[in-house]
Every structure is written in structure tokens, then in C-alpha cells.
Amino acid sequence: MTTLTALSTEELEAFTRAMGMPAYRARQIHKWIYQAGCGSFDRMTDLPKDLRARLSAEARVRSLEEVGRQVSEDGTEKFLFRLSDTESVESVLMFDADRTTLCVSSQVGCAMGCRFCVTGALGFRRNLQAHEIVEQVLHARERLRPESDLTNIVFMGMGEPFQNFEEVQTALGRLISPGYVGLSKRKVTVSTCGHVEGIQRLGREGPIVNLAISLNATTDETRSRLMPVNRKWPLKELLRACREFPLKPTRRITFEYVLFAGVNDTLEDARRLVRLLKGIRSKVNLIPFNPHPGSEFSKPGDEQVLAFQQVLVEAGLTAPVRKSKGADIAAACGQLKAAYTARQKGPKPN
Ligand code: SAH
Ligand code: SF4
């Protein structure tokens, strides 16, 4: 069965032509899929009924199936999607006063092996295709509308986006294209563990969306211990790539800094962080580690977090402390998919 989101505009035209439809039908259907965000043919009300029935028999609009949805005490929602091959991924919808952000996954699992991250512990299963990434957005929008709409997308779910460069690039193109999802480039953020080749390639080829770097340490020794990617691309190279990234004049790179008690949370670390970021238009998100069962790390106390923040603020950096949202439904950073996988792997009933 053909999945329409998997087709390019030309392929959709060819598909409708092969079904004997005039060319404008492809344009109508395309609009329904991306602008109206329609997930089924029966809602495409300007198509004749018999045509909708024929389409339903030959194709489906999207491939992701929502198989679970949880709502956190703080309003955060987590979707679990089954993919066509029975793999699954999650997206998380977060609500703030002035924005609604969807955190999307780019891979099933992740190969980067960061020591503190639950997705990393799963290992790598497969890359998502561009349409599987875009569908997470279409699905969330359909859920939100008509009362509200998505304002921001962050690639901070499962996976390292730059390990899946082409598909992520295509998905980004569709998210920001007015003919597709049509979000502003300023509202889309790709987060990377420090994949220097990916940062450089995005800088060269675009689209130039916002960039977030999961920095998490201020020395190569500590960073390599937390994030094996640092052995390939150490801090100096990573920060050089950040300096060279063709940011728009008013934009800044976001540096995510997860605070682990006794590992990277000293005032000396804070001062080093200030020095490292010198000359880069940046903002820092401080994220107290979100503990999970079996993890060797813990989060620092509030006082330590505030003292760390103080050093950055006094040096003129923007450095908000980000509370993990949705912790009670395991929707917080680095926890995606773990609960579901644990259930799948759990003991079978007798
Ligand atoms: N692979 C990409 C994007 C997904 S990870 C990247 O690494 O940037 C999203 C963010 O969650 C990263 O900044 C990571 O440092 C953070 N993270 C992972 N596990 C966490 C945890 N247990 N507590 C807090 N943040 C965590
Ligand atoms: Fe992968 Fe990012 Fe988790 Fe590292 S922090 S294992 S790169 S998802």
C-alpha cells in the first residue's frame, strides 16, 4: 500500500495520474495532507466520495500509527507510534505559556552511547525516513487543532539527527517549506551530541535552522567519559565548527548542559564553560540530570545549580535552568522509549 507522505510532489502527481485523476487532484490532496493536516481520506471533503473510496483502497495518508498516549501532570503529552515495520518511536508535546513545542525522534534508538542517556542504552535500531519524522509533526498538529497549533519543533527525541543526515535534511526542508508544513526556520531546532561533520554539512547545505549542541562537559576528559563522540570530535573541533556555523546575525547557538552531581557541576566548570563559549553567540540551557533506574549519575542540589548559573549570568550569558517536563510519564529528556521497551522485554505471563 502506498503511503502518500512518502511521495515527493512529483511522485504524488504520478500516482494520481496513474489512477486516472486530473492534475489538480494531486494539489488538492497535497494541501489536505500538509496544510490541513488530514490523516484520512474521508475528511478530504472536496474529493468525490467514490474517489475517496478508491484512494482508501490503494493508499494511506500516513504510516505512523499512534499506539499509546500519556499525559503528564504538567500537561506534557507523549505519543508512542508504531512504524510500518513494527519498530516504534516517541514524540513529546510540551506546553509553555507562549509556545507549544514538539520534540521529535530522528532514529529508532541511538548509536552514540552517551553514558547518561536511556535512548543510548537501547543501542541503534534504524534510521527514520524523512516522512516518518514529518508525520510525527502532522499527527501532533492534528491532535492540537483547531483549538491550538504547534509553534516549535525540536529534534531532541530519540536518535542523533546527524547520524541520519539526508533524511533529517529532507524532513527539515518539508517542515519549513510553505508548500508543506510551513514553519519558520527560527522555530525549528536540530540538537546534536557534537557530530562535527553533520554541523559542517548543515552549515554548507542548509537549511539553516537553529542548532543546539549537547555539550555537557567542559574538559575533554570528562566529556569523553560521558559522551564517546568526544573521542572522535573533541571540544576544540566541536567549538570551531560552532564558530564557523553560518548563523543568521540575530541568532544564537543553544548549548545544552546537563548537570551531574560531582561530575561537571563545579564553579570551576562554570568558569571554563564561559571561556569555551567566548566568541560564540550562544545561550546555555542548564538541565539538572533527570535520574532513571539503573543510572550511575545523580542530579546536583538546587543550590549548586543556582551557583553554577550565577557564574554564567555574571559573565553575560543567558542561562535558564530547564526543568525536565513530563518526568512522571518518562517523557523527559533521555527517557523516551525506555518504559515501552522495558514492558516488551518484561517477563511473559505464564
Ligand atoms: N542526540 C541528540 C538529540 C537527542 S538527546 C543530542 O544528543 O543532542 C536530547 C537531550 O537530552 C541531550 O541534550 C541530552 O544531553 C539530554 N539528556 C539525555 N539524557 C538525559 C537525562 N537523563 N537527563 C537530562 N537530560 C538528558
Ligand atoms: Fe544519542 Fe543524544 Fe542520547 Fe547521546 S544524548 S545517546 S546522542 S540520543
Side-chain angles (χ1 to χ4, degrees):
M1 184 170 265
T2 308
T3 301
L4 297 193
T5 53
L7 306 181
S8 65
T9 319
E10 297 73 33
E11 287 166 339
L12 181 61
E13 273 165 19
F15 173 80
T16 48
R17 207 179 314 121
M19 283 183 73
M21 296 181 221
Y24 68 90
R25 290 289 182 215
R27 288 193 295 277
Q28 275 178 315
I29 295 171
H30 180 94
K31 262 195 170 169
W32 278 114
I33 298 176
Y34 294 101
Q35 273 139 46
C38 233
S40 69
F41 294 111
D42 18 296
R43 287 184 41 223
M44 301 188 177
T45 45
D46 57 1
L47 303 181
K49 261 211 170 119
D50 63 318
L51 183 55
R52 281 186 252 162
R54 277 175 59 213
L55 279 165
S56 305
E58 301 233 353
R60 56 186 178 182
V61 178
R62 303 185 201 140
S63 63
L64 263 57
E65 190 195 341
E66 183 188 307
V67 290
R69 175 169 165 264
Q70 283 176 283
V71 183
S72 157
E73 285 163 6
D74 63 20
T76 303
E77 285 179 36
K78 180 169 74 167
F79 299 106
L80 176 69
F81 296 109
R82 177 142 10 102
L83 311 175
S84 322
D85 59 357
T86 75
E87 289 286 1
S88 55
V89 287
E90 292 178 341
S91 320
V92 177
L93 199 49
M94 295 165 289
F95 300 91
D96 290 298
D98 55 346
R99 58 181 158 184
T100 303
T101 305
L102 185 73
C103 177
V104 297
S105 296
S106 57
Q107 299 183 306
V108 185
C110 182
M112 305 312 283
C114 301
R115 286 260 296 273
F116 49 84
C117 174
V118 175
T119 306
L122 284 175
F124 174 69
R125 297 190 56 92
R126 80 162 167 88
N127 280 331
L128 291 191
Q129 293 179 271
H131 71 92
E132 293 172 320
I133 299 172
V134 174
E135 283 184 31
Q136 296 171 54
V137 176
L138 297 176
H139 187 91
R141 271 204 324 181
E142 194 175 20
R143 281 291 204 156
L144 287 168
R145 284 173 172 181
E147 293 81 32
S148 63
D149 207 350
L150 266 184
T151 58
N152 296 64
I153 312 278
V154 295
F155 282 66
M156 289 188 191
M158 297 165 66
E160 165 50 45
F162 290 149
Q163 287 280 95
N164 183 18
F165 192 94
E166 275 98 7
E167 298 298 319
V168 166
Q169 189 180 41
T170 304
L172 288 172
R174 292 191 177 177
L175 294 178
I176 64 169
S177 159
Y180 284 81
V181 178
L183 285 161
S184 152
K185 279 182 190 173
R186 283 171 292 139
K187 303 291 185 184
V188 179
T189 301
V190 173
S191 176
T192 175
C193 61
H195 193 293
V196 167
E197 244 167 54
I199 298 169
Q200 291 170 333
R201 188 166 167 200
L202 192 73
R204 276 196 312 272
E205 299 177 9
I208 307 299
V209 293
N210 299 318
L211 189 61
I213 310 286
S214 300
L215 195 65
N216 299 346
T218 60
T219 65
D220 279 322
E221 195 194 344
T222 304
R223 193 162 194 274
S224 294
R225 195 157 63 81
L226 293 171
M227 307 177 75
V229 66
N230 194 69
R231 294 183 201 134
K232 180 158 189 189
W233 290 299
L235 280 168
K236 202 167 162 203
E237 281 185 44
L238 171 57
L239 294 167
R240 190 192 308 134
C242 292
R243 280 197 182 83
E244 289 169 357
F245 189 76
L247 270 187
K248 294 275 167 308
T250 54
R251 309 304 295 168
R252 294 183 285 182
I253 295 181
T254 302
F255 290 87
E256 311 282 337
Y257 196 94
V258 180
L259 288 156
F260 304 98
V263 176
N264 66 354
D265 64 341
T266 65
L267 299 187
E268 189 47 41
D269 281 300
R271 287 190 280 269
R272 260 197 304 264
L273 183 53
V274 171
R275 286 200 294 276
L276 286 176
L277 298 184
K278 217 161 235 151
I280 305 177
R281 284 203 311 282
S282 51
K283 75 177 245 197
V284 180
N285 279 339
L286 296 172
I287 312 163
F289 173 63
N290 180 37
H292 46 82
S295 149
E296 64 196 289
F297 301 105
S298 57
K299 67 171 175 185
D302 290 349
E303 263 174 43
Q304 190 64 23
V305 173
L306 290 177
F308 194 99
Q309 180 188 34
Q310 180 88 15
V311 173
L312 305 187
V313 171
E314 275 171 11
L317 283 164
T318 309
V321 176
R322 299 284 183 198
K323 293 260 149 25
S324 280
K325 286 179 185 276
D328 57 320
I329 56 166
C333 304
Q335 293 195 342
L336 296 189
K337 181 84 183 289
Y340 179 71
T341 311
R343 277 204 305 280
Q344 282 186 320
K345 283 191 183 150
K348 294 211 172 70
N350 301 322

